Amino acid sequence: ILGRDADIAIRYVAAAARRKRGGGRSLFSIDGVPVISADGSRSSQIRGDSAVLGHRLLHDDDGRAWRGWFAAANLAGFDGARHQYFSDYSLAIAAALQGQGALLGAAAFIQPELRSGRLVQLGRTRVSFGSYWLLESRDRSTATLRAAFSRWIDAEVRKS
């Protein structure tokens, strides 16, 4: 419990959550973006959202994230698509890198692969997965330490 067990915390709040409880401030948001291996892409065929339909959908959940993306893209075809479920997100990323399908990747976590060109984005639609929040107690005795941590975490977020 913040204030009793901890003076500062970082909390992830899923976009599907009703609303974030308590105070705090947003550090950064996580958006989902469809990506495939650069080896299996043709630039003329990846610009539209419908390009996703030609690929197996890779995911580490019950399909909720992809369903949300299909709705945001105003695209039918989720139920008729081929799917591959992974018990771990890193396995889904590895499968996408090996050309096994399209991943709805957390943009913040796959930036190195996008920058290097190993993964390429399909279409234009992004969906919000959620955001990370910094929560702090109001204990005056730890204010200086919390402020130092807050400055440090802000600098780290700006770097990425």
Side-chain angles (χ1 to χ4, degrees), residues 16-75:
R18 287 190 192 142
R19 55 179 246 200
K20 182 187 71 59
R21 289 190 213 172
R25 65 181 174 83
S26 177
L27 290 172
F28 61 95
S29 296
I30 302 290
D31 291 338
V33 57
V35 295
I36 59 170
S37 168
D39 294 339
S41 71
R42 292 193 182 116
S43 62
S44 63
Q45 296 177 339
I46 64 173
R47 291 190 182 126
D49 289 332
S50 62
V52 167
L53 297 174
H55 300 276
R56 175 182 290 120
L57 304 180
L58 309 174
H59 49 91
D60 66 340
D61 65 359
D62 60 1
R64 186 174 303 147
W66 270 115
R67 283 184 192 279
W69 183 87
F70 271 79
N74 198 26
L75 192 63

Side-chain angles (χ1 to χ4, degrees), residues 13-140:
V13 179
R18 287 190 192 142
R19 55 179 246 200
K20 182 187 71 59
R21 289 190 213 172
R25 65 181 174 83
S26 177
L27 290 172
F28 61 95
S29 296
I30 302 290
D31 291 338
V33 57
V35 295
I36 59 170
S37 168
D39 294 339
S41 71
R42 292 193 182 116
S43 62
S44 63
Q45 296 177 339
I46 64 173
R47 291 190 182 126
D49 289 332
S50 62
V52 167
L53 297 174
H55 300 276
R56 175 182 290 120
L57 304 180
L58 309 174
H59 49 91
D60 66 340
D61 65 359
D62 60 1
R64 186 174 303 147
W66 270 115
R67 283 184 192 279
W69 183 87
F70 271 79
N74 198 26
L75 192 63
F78 173 83
D79 291 324
R82 296 171 294 146
H83 298 267
Q84 178 67 49
Y85 169 80
F86 295 90
S87 60
D88 186 273
Y89 181 66
S90 63
L91 296 174
I93 293 173
L97 287 165
Q98 293 174 10
Q100 295 179 21
L103 170 71
L104 187 57
F109 301 143
I110 59 171
Q111 279 304 318
E113 288 81 7
L114 289 168
R115 269 190 246 117
S116 72
R118 293 175 60 203
L119 290 176
V120 294
Q121 182 175 336
L122 287 176
R124 301 279 183 235
T125 300
R126 290 176 164 249
V127 293
S128 175
F129 284 165
S131 57
Y132 284 89
W133 290 75
L134 183 68
L135 309 173
E136 295 186 55
S137 73
R138 291 191 168 95
D139 184 350
R140 289 185 179 185

